[in-house]
Amino acid sequence: MTQTTEAAAVEQPPKSSRRRRVHRAWFVAAVTFVTIIGAAAFRSVPGLLIDPLHQDFGWSRGTIGAAVSVNLALYGLTAPFAAALMDRFGIRRVVAVALTVIAVGSGLTVWMTAAWQLMLCWGLLVGLGSGSMALAFAATVTNRWFTERRGLVSGILTAASASGQLIFLPLLSWIVERYDWRPAAVTVALAALAVVPFVWLLLHDHPADVGQKPYGAAEFVPKPAPVVGAARRTLKVLFSAARTGPFWLLAGTFAICGASTNGLVQTHFVPAAHDHGMPITAAASLLAVIGVFDVVGTIASGWFTDRFEPRRLLAVYYALRGVSLLFLPMLLAPSVHPPMVFFIVFYGLDWVATVPPTLALCRDQYGEDSAIVFGWVLASHQVGAALVAFLGGVARDTFGSYDVVWYASGALCAAAALMALVIRRRGTAVGAAA
């Protein structure tokens, strides 16, 4: 009787819990979402600091843009190694350390007096920390915890960064205008630190840690052993992927994506609008509105990616983005007017809608190594962003306006649309050869 009762007690709870409880993967996705929101504070600051740093220290916009470009480049170049480190040490440890490094780098800028210190704190430290919090983090969580709904989840996690921008941009712009840029830097540091306890206590590395299957999986997936030689594996994956045509097409299109978003609009939209007489808070609020529609557009893109051909989605996204950027110089004005609002909505829907189809193409082409390959593709995204962050500042110093940069970026987006259409044909050839 006792043994029978015990057996029934063991068997009964799992049946009822399966009916009632939400799969743990969704809780992990929720913690990841909050973590990316908290880390997004650092991405909201560069565009707000260009004019204040120029006024306080007399540094040229090219010099400040160079520090931002170091940040963006390291953000991308660290990402593939971070994905491998997560395989070695676990997601929780890597992300907690990354958030702490971001907090230290941002906090130290309060005491800087020379441009090289901006390069060190905001460029090197925040760049390295943010790189470990890059989209490779979202890709790793999605790949481990989900078999179904991957496109939707990757869209939601990508949108978390935009949600953070929506929260922090108005707040930080108000702090900069009302007080100074230093309290804004401290706010970024505190936001990063505030997320660390959530990561350490709630973010599980693998479904097997809690005795569950990945969401949608037919069978239980054992937790793989830690992968040693993270740097060696990362470089090996790069050299292997670099021998395939789809990698270069994905890297090229994503470099243009970074150039036309993080490097250009996120870094230079606020000072460009301010050049036309628009208050900093108004321009920052428009960027925050981009974040609102970015959430909608990215989640929708994830839904589309589960149902439509990813390469065609990419072509449409890049083409529409290029058209919108060509019109932007004609829309900048001292006040917010309906055509500018239309641009913000249109551009916001397309901001990072490219991520879910790019992730899907990486998964299709590179399987288990897709998170690391996507890390390298993301590195190209950030290299493109870094180049335009620097060149945009130089163009403003040289020509007195940003117009030439908007037009050049629109033309690059048209090229990216054409490149996206080639990806499947080249990928099919590689797969057939293999």
Side-chain angles (χ1 to χ4, degrees):
M1 287 289 293
T2 305
Q3 290 179 347
T4 305
T5 304
E6 289 179 354
V10 171
E11 291 175 4
Q12 283 284 47
K15 291 182 181 178
S16 59
S17 64
R18 280 195 198 102
R19 286 195 298 267
R20 296 178 185 175
R21 293 174 62 185
V22 177
H23 195 285
R24 186 66 66 89
W26 294 109
F27 290 103
V28 172
V31 174
T32 304
F33 186 89
V34 172
T35 303
I36 296 174
I37 285 179
F42 70 86
R43 300 189 65 180
S44 304
V45 173
L48 302 177
L49 297 188
I50 290 178
D51 283 340
L53 292 177
H54 175 69
Q55 293 167 6
D56 272 17
F57 298 104
W59 301 334
S60 70
R61 291 175 178 82
T63 298
I64 300 168
V68 176
S69 71
V70 170
N71 176 297
L72 292 172
L74 286 176
Y75 176 94
L77 294 172
T78 305
F81 293 95
L85 286 172
M86 288 176 189
D87 288 341
R88 174 66 178 89
F89 298 106
I91 299 174
R92 181 173 58 180
R93 293 178 182 175
V94 173
V95 173
V97 170
L99 288 166
T100 304
V101 172
I102 290 171
V104 171
S106 183
L108 288 177
T109 58
V110 173
W111 293 283
M112 69 182 178
T113 56
W116 68 266
Q117 294 166 342
L118 178 65
M119 298 276 189
L120 175 65
C121 295
W122 198 259
L124 180 63
L125 292 178
V126 177
L128 289 173
S130 62
S132 301
M133 288 291 303
L135 291 173
F137 169 39
T140 301
V141 170
T142 303
N143 288 349
R144 289 187 184 183
W145 282 89
F146 291 86
T147 299
E148 295 180 353
R149 308 292 186 189
R150 282 178 168 176
L152 177 63
V153 174
S154 62
I156 292 172
L157 296 183
T158 302
S161 181
S163 301
Q165 178 176 288
L166 167 64
I167 294 168
F168 286 107
L169 259 174
L171 172 64
L172 294 174
S173 64
W174 178 81
I175 291 173
V176 169
E177 193 163 67
R178 177 99 180 209
Y179 299 101
D180 191 17
W181 61 267
R182 291 175 178 85
V186 172
T187 302
V188 172
L190 293 177
L193 285 177
V195 182
V196 173
F198 290 95
V199 171
W200 195 255
L201 296 175
L202 301 174
L203 187 62
H204 296 284
D205 287 328
H206 196 276
D209 290 339
V210 292
Q212 289 194 343
K213 300 178 292 185
Y215 179 82
E219 299 179 356
F220 181 83
V221 178
K223 184 176 181 178
V227 180
V228 297
R232 189 184 317 114
R233 182 188 173 206
T234 302
L235 293 174
K236 182 179 179 181
V237 169
L238 170 63
F239 293 144
S240 176
R243 292 196 293 268
T244 66
F247 173 80
W248 293 106
L249 291 167
L250 288 166
T253 55
F254 227 41
I256 294 171
C257 180
S260 56
T261 53
N262 301 63
L264 181 59
V265 174
Q266 189 163 29
T267 304
H268 294 292
F269 177 81
V270 172
H274 192 54
D275 283 347
H276 287 75
M278 186 179 292
I280 290 177
T281 49
S285 297
L286 287 176
L287 268 186
V289 173
I290 286 179
V292 175
F293 290 95
D294 181 18
V295 173
V296 176
T298 307
I299 294 175
S301 178
W303 187 86
F304 289 143
T305 301
D306 287 332
R307 290 160 175 79
F308 300 105
E309 175 60 52
R311 71 181 187 105
R312 293 184 179 177
L313 290 175
L314 283 179
V316 171
Y317 296 156
Y318 285 121
L320 294 176
R321 183 185 300 175
V323 170
S324 66
L325 288 172
L326 292 175
F327 280 98
L328 181 58
M330 295 178 279
L331 302 178
L332 291 170
S335 61
V336 179
H337 51 91
M340 173 57 77
V341 174
F342 178 79
F343 167 82
I344 293 298
V345 173
F346 189 83
Y347 185 86
L349 291 171
D350 200 344
W351 177 271
V352 285
T354 56
V355 173
T358 302
L359 263 172
L361 288 168
C362 284
R363 272 196 299 267
D364 291 343
Q365 296 287 342
Y366 304 105
E368 294 181 356
D369 292 329
S370 62
I372 297 177
V373 173
F374 180 72
W376 284 113
V377 171
L378 179 63
S380 71
H381 181 282
Q382 295 307 114
V383 169
L387 285 172
V388 173
F390 171 65
L391 294 176
V394 172
R396 172 60 179 80
D397 291 333
T398 304
F399 301 109
S401 78
Y402 287 100
D403 288 0
V404 66
V405 189
W406 304 123
Y407 295 136
S409 185
L412 285 174
C413 288
L418 295 175
M419 292 167 64
L421 292 174
V422 183
I423 292 174
R424 188 177 66 174
R425 185 169 66 248
R426 297 283 295 275
T428 301
V430 172

